[in-house]
Amino acid sequence: MVRDALDRCIDAITTHNRVVIVVLLLLTAGAVAGIGNLDTSNQAGSGDVGETTPAQKADYIAENYGDPDDESNVSAAPVYVRHEDGNALSKAALIDSLEYQQTVLENDSVSAALADDGGVTGVANVVGARAAEDPNATRAEQIAALESTDDDEYAALLSESLTSESGALSLLPQRYEPGSATAESHRMVFRFETDGADGSSGVPSDAQRALYEAADDRDEPNYFTLGEHAVADLNQRMASNTTTLILPVALALILGILAFTYRDLVDVVVGMIGVVVSILWMFGILGWLGISAGMTMIIGPVMIAGLSIDFGFHVFMRYREQRGSDEGIRPPMTRSVRSVAVALALVTVTTAIGFLSNVVNPVTSIRDMAIGITLGVVSAFFIFVTLVPALKISIDGLLERVGVDRHKQPLGYGSYLGRVLGGSVTLAKRAAPVVIVVALVAGSAGAVAWPALEQESFQQRTESVADWKTELPGPMAWEESEFVEHQLYVTDQYRSSDDSVGRSAVLIEGDVTADGTLQRVAEGGDTARETGVAFDQQGVESVRSPLSVIEATAAENDSFAATVDSADADNDGMPDRNLESVYDHLFEVAPAEAGQVIERTDGGEYRSLRMLVTVDRGDTYDERADDMQSVAAAIEDGDGDLTATAAGPAAVTQAELGEVTDGILYVLLLALGVIAVALIGIYRLSEGSATLGAVTVVPIALVAGLVIGSMSLLEVPLTLLTALLMSLVIGLGIDYNIHLSDRFAQELRRHGGVYDALEAAVVGTGGALLGSTLTSSAAFLALLLHPHPQLQSLGLLVVLALVTSFLVSVLVLPSMLALWARYADVTGVAAGAEPSAASAGDD
């Protein structure tokens, strides 16, 4: 019944092709209108933190501890001053920095939002105030005082201002030697009042823009910011570079391969029209639904282009097979679309299942991408069974009326390629069990490599774009945003200007008043310094903990110092016993400082402690996470009375990756199971054989195993992105198997003989699959030109999935189908109804 309804729809499409074209053009115009509403936020790399244990502990800390600097309603915006060929600490450079501050403070958005404490901290302010001999000197007075100094006086000012005890050292590169008169760069920090009590609203956008634009107007020294407007410039240039380099290369590769495989300009043009319309529909529907395009902007067009080209190959190649030498256009096109429509529909459903399995993932951008690409898949199916056949009929009919012969040979029927593809049928005849066993062993060996895959939370850019990309001719040259260079420099040279970002927390729970607890805390601090995760620079508090707060308070309060001495059993300056009384006294004399590192309930119970490590941001996320895990392990005692959990951003991200990688196999199995049930039911209804559906699914498990093994061999790391996209392997791989199995069932009804049916299916459909693999792989190979390693890994992963899926479908699946036909009852399939050429031709 379903097939009959589908056939009637196809008959209407091929009969009223001009009406179909007009209707589809109107619908496309409506989709294009929706693109104007498109939300392009939530770019690659963004996501939500999953419900991992470190994330829960981080939430617990946020709820139960005060801000470490008691400035929760203040956000910091640093401005960096870099003088590569000179001295950023020269008198002229510092005067210029003060003049920059004067310029931005004239902006109402900046001055109105500035924090009450003056709002600006910089090396120039510290040195200028000392020169003016007034800590409250205005910037004009500081400038005048600096200008009046001679070289010796200025050198003395620097030496006196930038001592090893000076807090201004945090404004200089971490390699700066205290007292030195030279430095390549320095920074000033503007602090702004925020609307939210937790500072979540961040630096006001207008104020950030003023800082960014004023910095952009200065050339030497080089001023720069890393705020939202600098990021916006990065995104704009990235999109522009992608448009002028990645997409043209992908398009050139696609068109070149299409020209070779189709060998017909009309089919290339019609197919590309279908590709473009499918992509427009995807973005238009996303716009109308208000779903963020985010990562879909980068990945979606390439993914849908590959799938659309695959659909086009099957429609066009089957049409070429169906058309007789003396036959018109409409009847063979009707038969062609009828014969591939069910397979295309199955591919659409199963591919959608593979993509939609990502909607349960914790990363928002991946969920949105899954929905977006699914909409693109459905759009491509609709376009390639309606608009594309209608255009093909109209254009071929017009050309033949003016005397142009439109008979073309299918790809797989060439003398050489036909023999190559037919070789898998020979293998199926002679050694089907051997082929299957070898494939199962290879797939299993690949799957075993899963635990050995290198894991990285994020693949970070550590190098600038290659010179040859920037030297390409014309608009194709990659125009690198200065943001990347600036970000890499700051990451290497500075800790964060916002301590809440630059600090990593460890939550200590259990009996925190037990004797020896602070000794465990001290060992954790020692581990932080030994591993190098703690930022080591004079004037910077590398570790803040209950012990450091106790020591600092005891140095200033004699009565509290006496309490500490009485609790120090071994005279090492550290309280060992009666910790509850020590904590009580600490909350009496320094409640704000105590509340930052010790949790006390309203009833006076001590539940937990917090250690804050100012991390060295030169380390990668994973290095930081591993080191902080070592800190937590050093704190935990063997009896289990204390538990310590690293709960900083790096630890949360690493735990999230672990959660995703642990669950991805479950997602793969779930998606595979749903697809198996769907195919078994559909094949039972449409072909009379549930087992044929099961056989079609098995190679997908092999593809997944082989892709994992290939990732291991090619050293493609398992990141949040690649782990979440592993489910796409199913969506890509099932495509090829469905086409081959569906064609085999059709040919079995037509020929009756199993190997004749296999020969026709592998040679006929295999040619279309080869063309699809080449074009789709070319599209994703273009991503290897992108400088970001995340997108390079994505492109390589998809190419592996495509190539592996093709090889499995034409080399392994025929042997499986041969064994299935040998042991299963194929009479139901062979006797199934099929539209006759005559009935189709009557249309």
Side-chain angles (χ1 to χ4, degrees):
M1 182 180 298
V2 175
R3 187 184 288 271
D4 291 340
L6 187 59
D7 286 348
R8 287 194 295 272
C9 291
I10 293 169
D11 292 344
I13 290 167
T14 55
T15 301
H16 306 289
N17 50 292
R18 293 184 181 86
V19 174
V20 170
I21 293 173
V22 172
V23 171
L24 267 294
L25 288 177
L26 292 174
L27 290 175
T28 301
V32 170
I35 295 177
N37 304 322
L38 200 62
D39 176 12
T40 59
S41 62
N42 204 14
Q43 295 294 332
S46 65
D48 294 336
V49 176
E51 290 299 319
T52 61
T53 298
Q56 292 171 342
K57 300 302 184 185
D59 291 340
Y60 183 88
I61 289 173
E63 293 173 3
N64 294 282
Y65 282 90
D67 184 85
D69 295 312
D70 196 25
E71 289 186 332
S72 57
N73 64 334
V74 174
S75 290
V79 177
Y80 296 88
V81 182
R82 186 180 181 188
H83 206 319
E84 293 184 70
D85 299 323
N87 179 16
L89 292 183
S90 69
K91 181 168 68 174
L94 293 192
I95 290 174
D96 191 69
S97 297
L98 291 170
E99 292 173 345
Y100 169 86
Q101 294 177 22
Q102 287 181 317
T103 299
V104 297
L105 289 174
E106 291 172 359
N107 184 287
D108 293 339
S109 298
V110 175
S111 58
L114 216 60
D116 293 337
D117 61 355
V120 186
T121 303
V123 174
N125 304 91
V126 174
V127 179
R130 182 177 288 273
E133 298 180 350
D134 180 2
N136 299 316
T138 65
R139 287 170 182 80
E141 291 171 341
Q142 292 174 18
I143 292 173
L146 287 174
E147 288 177 336
S148 67
T149 61
D150 58 29
D151 291 344
D152 292 337
E153 291 173 334
Y154 181 74
L157 280 173
L158 282 181
S159 179
E160 294 168 0
S161 301
L162 303 178
T163 64
S164 58
E165 291 79 22
S166 172
L169 292 186
S170 64
L171 302 171
L172 290 157
Q174 55 185 326
R175 295 182 180 87
Y176 172 77
E177 290 294 333
S180 173
T182 60
E184 184 184 49
S185 66
H186 65 84
R187 68 180 170 197
M188 61 194 86
V189 179
F190 292 77
R191 293 185 304 282
F192 296 94
E193 298 284 352
T194 58
D195 295 333
D198 60 352
S200 59
S201 59
V203 177
S205 180
D206 290 343
Q208 279 198 23
R209 179 181 294 278
L211 298 180
Y212 170 75
E213 292 178 349
D216 197 46
D217 289 339
R218 280 172 155 75
D219 295 324
E220 192 64 35
N222 179 26
Y223 286 66
F224 64 89
T225 69
L226 298 176
E228 63 174 276
H229 300 288
V231 173
D233 177 70
L234 169 69
N235 290 336
Q236 187 276 327
R237 294 198 185 194
M238 191 74 73
S240 176
N241 288 329
T242 301
T243 302
T244 57
L245 176 60
I246 307 298
L247 290 183
V249 170
L251 188 61
L253 290 172
I254 290 172
L255 291 176
I257 295 173
L258 286 177
F260 171 75
T261 52
Y262 278 138
R263 305 194 181 196
D264 181 75
L265 179 61
V266 172
D267 285 355
V268 171
V269 172
V270 173
M272 290 307 297
I273 289 174
V275 171
V276 172
V277 172
S278 298
I279 294 172
L280 291 175
W281 276 42
M282 174 180 67
F283 287 128
I285 296 172
L286 283 175
W288 286 118
L289 294 178
I291 299 173
S292 172
M295 290 178 60
T296 311
M297 291 290 295
I298 299 174
I299 301 170
V302 184
M303 187 77 72
I304 299 307
L307 189 67
S308 298
I309 289 169
D310 173 71
F311 285 0
F313 265 109
H314 290 288
V315 171
F316 293 151
M317 293 304 168
R318 191 66 62 91
Y319 165 71
R320 292 182 181 186
E321 288 184 63
Q322 290 285 332
R323 191 177 184 191
S325 58
D326 299 324
E327 195 174 14
I329 296 170
R330 202 180 307 273
M333 179 56 75
T334 302
R335 295 196 301 272
S336 168
V337 180
R338 280 183 176 183
S339 62
V340 300
V342 173
L344 295 182
L346 285 175
V347 167
T348 300
V349 170
T350 53
T351 302
I353 292 172
F355 284 117
L356 287 177
S357 63
N358 282 303
V359 299
V360 300
N361 287 315
V363 179
T364 301
S365 57
I366 297 294
R367 294 199 298 267
D368 290 341
M369 185 189 68
I371 296 172
I373 295 180
T374 298
L375 292 173
V377 172
V378 174
S379 299
F381 167 74
F382 188 75
I383 294 301
F384 277 84
V385 296
T386 56
L387 178 62
V388 168
L391 282 173
K392 176 71 171 170
I393 290 172
S394 300
I395 295 174
D396 276 8
L398 178 62
L399 290 174
E400 290 205 337
R401 280 196 292 273
V402 297
V404 178
D405 182 17
R406 298 296 299 145
H407 288 82
K408 301 293 178 180
Q409 185 184 52
L411 179 61
Y413 285 85
S415 57
Y416 177 74
L417 186 56
R419 287 197 303 272
V420 172
L421 293 173
S424 65
V425 180
T426 303
L427 279 176
K429 285 182 181 179
R430 299 177 180 177
V434 175
V435 172
I436 295 172
V437 169
V438 170
L440 290 174
V441 170
S444 300
V448 170
W450 175 266
L453 288 178
E454 181 184 358
Q455 294 191 16
E456 296 181 27
S457 300
F458 294 106
Q459 285 182 275
Q460 299 169 315
R461 280 191 65 181
T462 57
E463 299 178 356
S464 299
V465 67
D467 291 340
W468 68 267
K469 294 180 185 178
T470 63
E471 296 169 358
L472 289 171
M476 291 187 68
W478 189 279
E479 185 181 359
E480 180 70 293
S481 170
E482 292 182 341
F483 179 90
V484 176
E485 179 185 352
H486 294 159
Q487 186 180 52
L488 292 175
Y489 178 80
V490 170
T491 299
D492 180 59
Q493 295 288 336
Y494 289 88
R495 72 181 179 95
S496 172
S497 62
D498 182 353
D499 286 347
S500 66
V501 177
R503 282 182 172 143
S504 188
V506 176
L507 181 67
I508 306 164
E509 298 174 286
D511 187 2
V512 296
T513 60
D515 294 350
T517 296
L518 294 183
Q519 178 63 42
R520 310 300 307 178
V521 172
E523 291 180 10
D526 292 341
T527 301
R529 298 180 184 92
E530 291 168 1
T531 60
V533 68
F535 185 81
D536 184 18
Q537 180 170 293
Q538 291 291 337
V540 175
E541 184 182 30
S542 59
V543 178
R544 181 181 296 186
S545 69
L547 183 60
S548 68
V549 172
I550 287 171
E551 291 173 345
T553 305
E556 297 177 356
N557 188 295
D558 293 338
S559 65
F560 181 69
T563 300
V564 172
D565 288 339
S566 66
D568 182 5
D570 52 9
N571 297 317
D572 62 354
M574 184 187 308
D576 306 297
R577 60 192 177 188
N578 302 325
L579 294 187
E580 186 170 356
S581 64
V582 174
Y583 298 161
D584 288 341
H585 199 172
L586 179 63
F587 271 92
E588 289 177 12
V589 298
E593 291 80 1
Q596 295 167 8
V597 292
I598 303 173
E599 179 196 0
R600 184 169 71 167
T601 66
D602 293 338
E605 177 188 358
Y606 295 103
R607 285 184 175 175
S608 67
L609 309 176
R610 175 171 71 162
M611 172 184 286
L612 291 166
V613 178
T614 303
V615 296
D616 186 340
R617 293 173 63 84
D619 295 338
T620 67
Y621 248 54
D622 293 292
E623 289 172 339
R624 259 179 271 162
D626 291 341
D627 288 341
M628 291 305 298
Q629 296 288 1
S630 299
V631 172
I635 294 173
E636 290 190 344
D637 57 21
D639 298 330
D641 293 334
L642 289 179
T643 60
T645 306
V652 169
T653 302
Q654 188 180 70
E656 182 185 26
L657 174 61
E659 181 183 76
V660 171
T661 53
D662 289 343
I664 195 65
L665 293 178
Y666 169 76
V667 173
L668 287 172
L669 291 174
L670 178 63
L672 192 60
V674 173
I675 289 173
V677 171
L679 286 182
I680 287 171
I682 292 171
Y683 272 103
R684 178 68 182 85
L685 293 174
S686 63
E687 308 296 346
S689 174
T691 54
L692 181 58
V695 170
T696 304
V697 173
V698 171
I700 303 305
L702 294 178
V703 170
L706 291 171
V707 168
I708 292 170
S710 299
M711 289 176 64
S712 178
L713 292 174
L714 297 176
E715 298 182 346
V716 178
L718 194 63
T719 66
L720 281 172
L721 181 61
T722 55
L724 290 165
L725 294 180
M726 278 299 296
S727 59
L728 304 188
V729 171
I730 292 180
L732 295 168
I734 195 67
D735 181 347
Y736 295 177
N737 294 315
I738 287 175
H739 281 300
L740 196 63
S741 292
D742 186 75
R743 180 65 181 273
F744 173 68
Q746 292 181 31
E747 298 299 337
L748 192 61
R749 290 195 293 269
R750 180 177 291 114
H751 294 284
V754 171
Y755 293 108
D756 289 340
L758 270 180
E759 183 83 22
V762 172
V763 174
T765 299
L769 294 179
L770 176 61
S772 174
T773 301
L774 292 175
T775 50
S776 299
S777 296
F780 280 96
L781 279 173
L783 288 178
L784 297 181
L785 293 174
H786 202 287
H788 203 294
Q790 283 277 65
L791 293 179
Q792 293 176 2
S793 294
L794 168 68
L796 191 54
L797 174 62
V798 176
V799 170
L800 288 174
L802 289 167
V803 173
T804 305
S805 297
F806 170 74
L807 293 176
V808 168
S809 66
V810 299
L811 293 177
V812 181
L813 183 56
S815 293
M816 290 184 172
L817 291 173
L819 285 184
W820 169 80
R822 183 181 306 173
Y823 296 107
D825 182 9
V826 299
T827 56
V829 176
E834 179 187 19
S836 65
S839 64
D842 292 337
D843 296 326

